[in-house]
Amino acid sequence: MIEPLVIALSKGRILFKSLSLLKKAGIIPIESVENNRKLLFNTKKKYLNLIILRAIDVPTYVKLGAADMGIVGKDVLLENGSKGLYEPIDFKISKCRLMTAGLIGFNVKNTTRKVATKFVNIAKRYYASKGIKANIIKLYGAMELAPIMNLAEEIIDIVDTGNTLKENGMEPKTLIKNISTRLIVNKTSMIIKYKSINPLIELLISII
Ligand code: ATP
Ligand code: PRP
């Protein structure tokens, strides 16, 4: 018998790309995910359900086994840790870069650097690895405003086209990590639901 599986998907910009990948694997929600307040969806594959979460909650659900698998950005995994998770597929979608950035032409001084970011853990590791003292200020969005308003000298944020930085008089400085969307799998599920999960991973690898 095939074991039931739950896949956690991230709301927001990667949701529809994730759904279209799953569609190619025949995993299609039986009702529309768009304009729907529901968060749990049955699919045409009876053994497989989808749940829709904030990106940051996807690793938590998968780590704790409330979902067997998840689709999430590497930035979220780097920030929140991926202990207890397998990461078998890089879907190579929603590619972007995690970078430091600052006002155009501004050079940071050699004293303690003021940095605004929502990626606090990544920032701490990054500056520690460079031997740079940093005072890290946690923000939840609109990081590009922080240097303009003199809240910080530098930000760490996602950069794709660079337009958001440019429109706010900023420029990317140093690349920290290339980011893309990953499949994550709960380690226990991988063992006890091997017969469902392994063919699914192989199928997903074959379609990307
Ligand atoms: P939330 O809105 O719940 O705080 P979020 O802002 O991380 O979460 P999204 O903006 O939807 O969510 O981004 C989801 C994922 O898409 C990110 O984790 C990252 O991997 C990737 N991403 C974020 N911004 C961009 C971008 N500008 N271009 C390409 N990919 C991006
Ligand atoms: C992300 C990121 C940047 C922007 C970069 O924000 O935080 O602000 O995309 O993309 P670009 O280089 O193509 O301009 P998002 O649009 O996800 O908004 P957010 O503030 O809600 O995270």
Side-chain angles (χ1 to χ4, degrees):
M1 200 197 80
I2 213 151
E3 303 98 339
L5 286 182
V6 175
I7 305 181
L9 304 182
S10 309
K11 267 188 206 171
R13 68 170 74 229
I14 62 177
L15 180 60
F16 291 99
K17 285 184 180 167
S18 307
L19 285 169
S20 89
L21 268 170
L22 293 177
K23 189 175 176 186
K24 288 186 197 151
I27 302 165
I28 301 164
I30 56 173
E31 42 185 330
S32 166
V33 173
E34 228 169 341
N35 304 320
N36 201 330
R37 296 295 298 163
K38 281 183 76 167
L39 300 168
L40 169 62
F41 294 88
N42 301 118
T43 70
K44 290 187 177 169
K45 288 191 191 288
K46 281 208 173 95
Y47 72 99
L48 218 155
N49 290 330
L50 303 177
I51 55 175
I52 317 284
L53 306 171
R54 275 195 71 180
I56 199 161
D57 293 330
V58 169
T60 308
Y61 266 71
V62 179
K63 265 181 209 172
L64 298 178
D68 302 290
M69 310 167 93
I71 299 181
V72 72
K74 181 72 180 174
D75 49 326
V76 176
L77 296 172
L78 290 170
E79 178 61 16
N80 299 292
S82 46
K83 216 173 148 197
L85 297 172
Y86 284 119
E87 199 187 300
I89 305 179
D90 178 352
F91 288 116
K92 298 194 165 75
I93 57 168
S94 289
K95 287 200 209 166
C96 50
R97 290 157 291 150
L98 195 56
M99 301 199 69
T100 67
L103 292 172
I104 293 170
F106 179 81
N107 289 317
V108 276
K109 318 224 166 37
N110 282 330
T111 51
T112 303
R113 200 170 291 188
K114 276 203 290 178
V115 183
T117 186
K118 68 174 175 184
F119 302 103
V120 169
N121 295 321
I122 293 172
K124 281 184 187 156
R125 288 198 301 270
Y126 173 72
Y127 291 108
S129 76
K130 300 277 171 204
I132 296 169
K133 281 193 188 148
N135 175 5
I136 295 160
I137 302 157
K138 167 87 181 179
L139 291 180
Y140 292 85
M143 264 79 77
E144 294 84 358
L145 204 51
I148 300 172
M149 302 311 291
N150 218 5
L151 180 71
E153 300 159 284
E154 192 159 271
I155 64 168
I156 290 184
D157 197 9
I158 295 289
V159 181
D160 179 19
T161 60
N163 288 340
T164 312
L165 287 178
K166 207 166 154 198
E167 299 218 352
N168 289 289
M170 295 180 66
E171 60 187 359
K173 304 273 186 190
T174 310
L175 174 70
I176 298 177
K177 188 88 185 163
N178 286 308
I179 301 294
S180 54
T181 302
R182 308 299 168 103
L183 180 75
I184 53 172
V185 183
N186 174 280
K187 284 195 174 168
T188 309
S189 298
M190 191 74 203
I191 297 164
I192 62 177
K193 297 186 177 181
Y194 175 83
K195 280 192 191 146
S196 311
I197 291 179
N198 210 40
L200 186 55
I201 291 175
E202 277 173 17
L203 179 61
L204 289 170
I205 289 172
S206 75
I207 62 165
I208 55 173

